[in-house]
Amino acid sequence: MPELPEMENYKILLSQQIINQPITHVTIEREKSINVPAHSFTSMLLGKKIVSISRRAKHLLFHLENNKVLLLHLMLGGSMFYGTKEEKPNRTSQVTLSFGDYHLYLFARHGRTLTGE
């Protein structure tokens, strides 16, 4: 399970990369990884920009320009990777958020939940 310093590092690094970049594509490989219907999740995110990222304990909160918040908890064994398709680790991502040629891949071992508030 990622610890607080790792989550803080994710927050800092992702803030440098994805703030104010429009989400150009959403891929959901495992619908159990999100807690809203896939079409609602996708429509809430597609074309929107993340205006800030904050952390609350081991949760990352992605604040969207439409005043929605995407809540991420990596749970046990979860991880994420930001980069191009060519750089992606050889793993199946549960959810992928695309920002043009770069993608935020979310991986889970035992389950992770993404929440749209």
Side-chain angles (χ1 to χ4, degrees):
M1 173 181 288
E3 298 298 330
L4 290 176
E6 293 171 274
M7 297 309 290
E8 184 66 19
N9 282 335
Y10 277 137
K11 181 192 89 161
I12 292 167
L13 294 171
L14 288 173
S15 292
Q16 297 168 359
Q17 300 295 323
I18 64 175
I19 297 296
N20 293 320
Q21 299 296 318
I23 298 170
T24 57
H25 194 268
V26 177
T27 304
I28 302 166
E29 295 293 337
R30 184 174 180 265
E31 287 193 35
K32 288 184 178 183
S33 295
I34 58 175
N35 72 344
V36 295
H39 67 278
S40 297
F41 185 80
T42 300
S43 66
M44 179 184 69
L45 296 175
L46 200 55
K48 304 301 185 289
K49 294 179 183 178
I50 296 171
V51 295
S52 67
I53 302 171
S54 60
R55 183 185 57 78
R56 187 168 295 152
K58 293 184 181 182
H59 295 85
L60 286 183
L61 290 82
F62 297 84
H63 302 271
L64 303 171
E65 66 182 341
N66 60 358
N67 294 320
K68 301 283 185 182
V69 177
L70 177 66
L71 175 70
L72 169 71
H73 190 286
L74 292 174
M75 305 296 269
L76 188 61
S79 64
M80 66 178 85
F81 176 80
Y82 179 77
T84 65
K85 287 182 183 179
E86 295 76 28
E87 299 169 325
K88 176 185 172 277
N90 189 19
R91 293 182 63 189
T92 301
S93 63
Q94 306 299 303
V95 176
T96 303
L97 303 180
S98 299
F99 302 86
D101 292 335
Y102 287 85
H103 313 278
L104 178 59
Y105 299 98
L106 304 171
F107 305 105
R109 178 172 293 159
H110 293 93
R112 174 201 59 252
T113 301
L114 291 167
T115 306
E117 295 178 355

